[in-house]
Amino acid sequence: MEIKKVGVIGCGLMGSGIAQTAATAGFDVVVLEAEQRFLDKGFAGIGKSLAKFAEKGTIKETPESVRARIKGTLKVEDLAASDIVIEAIIENVEEKKKMFARLDQVVQREAIFATNTSSVSVTEVMTATTRVDRFIGMHFFNPVPLMKLVEVIRTIATDAKVMDTAIAFAEKLGKVPVRTSDKTGFIVNRLLVPYLLDAVRAYEEGVGSISDIDLAMKFGCGYPMGPFVLSDFIGLDTIYYITHVMFDEFKERRFAAPALLRRMVLAGWYGKKSGKGFYDWSNPEKPVPQDEALRGEPAKAQGA
Ligand code: NAD
């Protein structure tokens, strides 16, 4: 089956990025939102992002001609002719199931349904539909127009041809798709989350300071940034939430939140977005490590 028409549910951070990426790749896109103001906000973000790409010369068309392929709507019926529908609404299993149950009644039978969930079970969301063989996860990364990876997730009920179609579609989007199965965390978070939590444990045990651990992983492993800068970027509240879902699935200590992470989240130290995490981000160009507050040690003013 060939995908021509793309439906996107939600025009937030991820949905707007998915819509923009699909339109840039030449697909006709319909984006569904709950309210006009969210649609307006999403489209404003798409406009800004396309303008930046045009400025850098990385898109072949004008922003206006890419934008013309995206239609915003508040009516689910406008998704009826989609060949694939990618859902990117809030991370709430009941809301996602409600949405897919409705889509199941409206969208043509041959269409593929994909959820962009980070942590909810794809299989559980799938149960809200009658097309379990055509249901997958497509996990994009933020910011979608820039990040190359898409984890394409099969459940035990997914038809192999549906996986092949989704992989080919992701390639047409200019992405690098990887195949994975419906286990919490998929590939990236399964490996990344224990690593980030281990960095916190190493810090708690006095293995090194915040900036020394970051510098060690950056220059010793060639990672673009150390685990604490990365955690501050992702958001400690988000990591904390994911640890719960992963610990619940695997019941292993490596997925459990270290005490320090819990304390930081309780105190509202979420990382860059709240201004403070492992670093103070008052000056984003020069984040200051928070050893003194977190471990009672003088801060070392080394770079992040
Ligand atoms: P967001 O809050 O920025 O966007 C969600 C959008 O969905 C909002 O604009 C909201 O109005 C809309 N929405 C909610 N209910 C709706 C409904 N019933 N009908 C239509 N629209 C509705 O959230 P986000 O960060 O874009 O995340 C969306 C999904 O993508 C979540 O499942 C999240 O876990 C997943 N995800 C997020 C990231 C990330 O880095 N933010 C990365 C990968 C996956």
Side-chain angles (χ1 to χ4, degrees):
M1 148 180 207
E2 206 197 332
I3 290 175
K4 289 192 181 129
K5 292 187 176 154
V6 178
V8 178
I9 317 295
C11 198
L13 197 61
M14 298 304 286
S16 62
I18 295 166
Q20 178 186 328
T21 303
T24 303
F27 293 96
D28 288 324
V29 183
V30 179
V31 196
L32 176 73
E33 252 296 348
E35 290 180 41
Q36 186 62 41
R37 63 192 169 115
F38 297 128
L39 218 41
D40 294 342
K41 191 173 169 216
F43 275 107
I46 291 172
K48 261 192 216 151
S49 174
L50 284 174
K52 268 193 216 154
F53 279 105
E55 217 177 274
K56 285 189 204 143
T58 46
I59 49 172
K60 294 185 201 103
E61 299 170 78
T62 61
E64 293 70 32
S65 62
V66 175
R67 169 67 185 77
R69 279 194 291 275
I70 314 173
K71 179 181 176 232
T73 185
L74 303 177
K75 286 191 294 191
V76 71
E77 290 76 15
D78 289 341
L79 277 286
S82 307
D83 298 311
I84 188 166
V85 177
I86 304 167
E87 168 273 316
I89 67 168
I90 46 167
E91 189 73 345
N92 175 303
V93 70
E94 291 313 321
E95 288 299 318
K96 286 184 189 295
K97 283 169 85 169
K98 230 191 285 170
M99 176 48 69
F100 275 112
R102 182 80 188 98
L103 289 165
D104 199 35
Q105 295 168 339
V106 168
V107 182
Q108 57 142 328
R109 293 307 305 171
E110 285 306 296
I112 294 174
F113 281 177
T115 174
N116 180 50
T117 181
S118 315
S119 61
V120 166
S121 155
V122 176
T123 308
E124 186 173 352
V125 184
M126 168 201 91
T127 60
T129 75
T130 55
R131 55 184 93 189
V132 297
D133 56 328
R134 310 192 69 70
F135 200 100
I136 55 170
M138 281 189 89
H139 187 217
F140 290 82
F141 289 73
N142 180 38
V144 180
L146 293 176
M147 294 292 281
K148 283 280 186 189
L149 186 69
V150 182
E151 293 180 312
V152 183
I153 303 134
R154 56 177 280 275
T155 75
I156 55 172
T158 308
D159 186 327
K161 286 199 205 90
V162 168
M163 280 296 279
D164 292 344
T165 305
I167 295 278
F169 169 63
E171 282 167 351
K172 280 192 194 146
L173 295 182
K175 300 297 180 199
V176 176
V178 292
R179 290 171 192 260
T180 184
S181 59
D182 185 26
K183 308 255 167 42
T184 300
F186 315 127
I187 297 174
V188 171
N189 281 339
R190 172 74 171 257
L191 299 183
L192 179 64
V193 171
Y195 158 70
L196 296 178
L197 299 181
D198 243 353
V200 181
R201 286 188 195 103
Y203 178 68
E204 284 177 323
E205 288 163 22
V207 169
S209 70
I210 291 169
S211 64
D212 281 343
I213 292 175
D214 268 351
L215 289 172
M217 296 313 289
K218 190 169 164 179
F219 293 104
C221 295
Y223 290 177
M225 60 187 85
F228 297 121
V229 170
L230 181 56
S231 295
D232 276 1
F233 278 172
I234 296 172
L236 304 190
D237 53 334
T238 304
I239 296 172
Y240 187 57
Y241 171 75
I242 295 175
T243 63
H244 282 87
V245 185
M246 294 187 84
F247 186 78
D248 190 48
E249 171 106 336
F250 299 112
K251 307 280 188 294
E252 286 179 38
R253 180 183 177 268
R254 65 197 169 111
F255 298 108
L260 178 61
L261 181 67
R262 184 170 141 71
R263 300 298 184 278
M264 292 174 76
V265 173
L266 281 173
W269 290 31
Y270 297 157
K272 197 160 184 253
K273 64 181 161 190
S274 71
K276 228 184 231 187
F278 289 99
Y279 293 85
D280 184 317
W281 292 91
S282 305
N283 176 1
E285 302 300 314
K286 225 172 177 290
V288 179
Q290 292 300 292
D291 299 89
E292 194 159 357
L294 298 178
R295 222 168 47 178
E297 282 175 12
K300 222 170 134 191
Q302 260 176 34

